[in-house]
């Protein structure tokens, strides 16, 4: 791909054709990623090291932590961010290859429909991620996790494990749910803005 295509692609990703889309890019790219990258590491970075069970043995701790965290929240949310970016990135790559200007996207029906479709895909992916997050992490992190260690052939099948900084993790969970809801609202608002522009209710820039 030539430098011109790469420049058009990057400009399209950073400067979508709608005002709300540009705000979404700012929110998604700065606030949400900063929150996950910096604060997420501070909250979850040493969780496995501080996760302890009774009896406090390495094999029990590792077994129960893997049971407690089938996937670490940082990995899940990083995958979520990458996957949600794919529809928009695919559209802007298409626009760059076709030399479509940003101002033309809302003028021609095919381009507009394609762009709206990419926004709908973002909404669907966010909703699916929201549901998966509920299934994996719930809404609250309890201080005690009851671990089934029957597979380790222990005397007792259930053991108690201490979850470090559970209150901070609960706050972080709620924040990530909130970010997902805000992103979905912005996507819906962007579709509404596009519809208003097509109907002439809002003047196209």
């Amino acid at each position: 791909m030539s430098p011109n295509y790469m420049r058009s692609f990057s400009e399209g990703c950073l400067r979508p054709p709608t005002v709300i889309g540009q705000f979404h890019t700012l929110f998604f790219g700065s606030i949400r990623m900063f929150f996950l990258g910096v604060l997420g590491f501070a909250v979850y970075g040493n969780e496995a090291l501080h996760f302890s069970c009774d009896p406090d043995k390495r094999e029990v701790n590792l077994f129960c932590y893997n049971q407690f965290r089938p996937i670490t929240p940082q990995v899940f949310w990083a995958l979520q961010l990458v996957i949600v970016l794919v529809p928009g990135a695919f559209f802007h790559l298409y626009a760059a290859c076709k030399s479509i200007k940003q101002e033309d996207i809302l003028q021609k029906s095919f381009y507009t429909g394609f762009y709206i479709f990419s926004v709908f895909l973002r909404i669907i992916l966010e909703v699916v991620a929201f549901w998966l997050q509920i299934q994996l992490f719930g809404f609250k992190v309890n201080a005690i996790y009851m671990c089934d260690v029957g597979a380790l052939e222990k005397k007792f099948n259930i053991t108690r494990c201490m979850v470090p900084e559970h209150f901070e993790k609960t706050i972080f969970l709620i924040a990530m749910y909130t970010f997902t809801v805000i992103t979905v609202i912005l996507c819906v608002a962007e579709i509404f803005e596009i519809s208003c522009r097509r109907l002439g209710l809002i003047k196209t820039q």
Side-chain angles (χ1 to χ4, degrees), residues 1 9 14 37 44 48 53 57 62 66 76-77 82 95 132-133 141 148 151 154 158 165 170 181 184 195:
M1 185 176 290
F9 172 70
L14 296 175
Y44 290 97
C53 302
K57 295 182 179 180
L62 287 176
N66 289 332
F76 175 83
W77 289 320
V82 171
L132 286 175
Q133 183 176 336
V141 179
D148 184 358
K154 297 297 178 182
I158 303 298
E165 301 169 342
T170 298
V181 171
V184 171
S195 301

Side-chain angles (χ1 to χ4, degrees), residues 8 17 26 64 68 136 157 160 168 172:
S8 298
L26 175 65
C64 290
F68 175 65
L136 290 170
N157 289 338
R160 291 160 54 91
E168 288 184 8
F172 202 90

Side-chain angles (χ1 to χ4, degrees), residues 164-176:
E165 301 169 342
H166 65 282
F167 184 68
E168 288 184 8
K169 292 178 174 64
T170 298
I171 295 176
F172 202 90
L173 273 177
I174 295 173
M176 295 307 294

Side-chain angles (χ1 to χ4, degrees), residues 7 28 39 48 81 83 98 100 116 118-119 130 148 155 157 167 176 179 182 188 204:
R7 183 164 51 251
F28 199 96
L39 298 182
L81 294 183
I83 292 173
K98 294 293 185 179
I100 303 171
I116 290 177
S118 71
V119 178
F130 189 91
D148 184 358
K155 184 177 180 180
N157 289 338
F167 184 68
M176 295 307 294
F179 287 150
I182 291 174
V188 173
T204 304

Side-chain angles (χ1 to χ4, degrees), residues 128-196:
V128 171
F130 189 91
W131 179 81
L132 286 175
Q133 183 176 336
I134 294 175
Q135 301 304 310
L136 290 170
F137 311 124
F139 290 95
K140 181 181 179 181
V141 179
N142 296 316
I144 303 296
Y145 174 72
M146 304 305 293
C147 175
D148 184 358
V149 293
L152 293 178
E153 298 182 356
K154 297 297 178 182
K155 184 177 180 180
F156 300 102
N157 289 338
I158 303 298
T159 186
R160 291 160 54 91
C161 299
M162 299 293 295
V163 180
E165 301 169 342
H166 65 282
F167 184 68
E168 288 184 8
K169 292 178 174 64
T170 298
I171 295 176
F172 202 90
L173 273 177
I174 295 173
M176 295 307 294
Y177 281 122
T178 303
F179 287 150
T180 301
V181 171
I182 291 174
T183 302
V184 171
I185 292 174
L186 288 175
C187 290
V188 173
E190 186 175 8
I191 294 175
F192 181 76
E193 179 187 348
I194 294 172
S195 301
C196 289

Side-chain angles (χ1 to χ4, degrees), residues 1-11 96:
M1 185 176 290
S2 69
N4 289 334
Y5 287 153
M6 292 299 297
R7 183 164 51 251
S8 298
F9 172 70
S10 60
E11 288 177 356

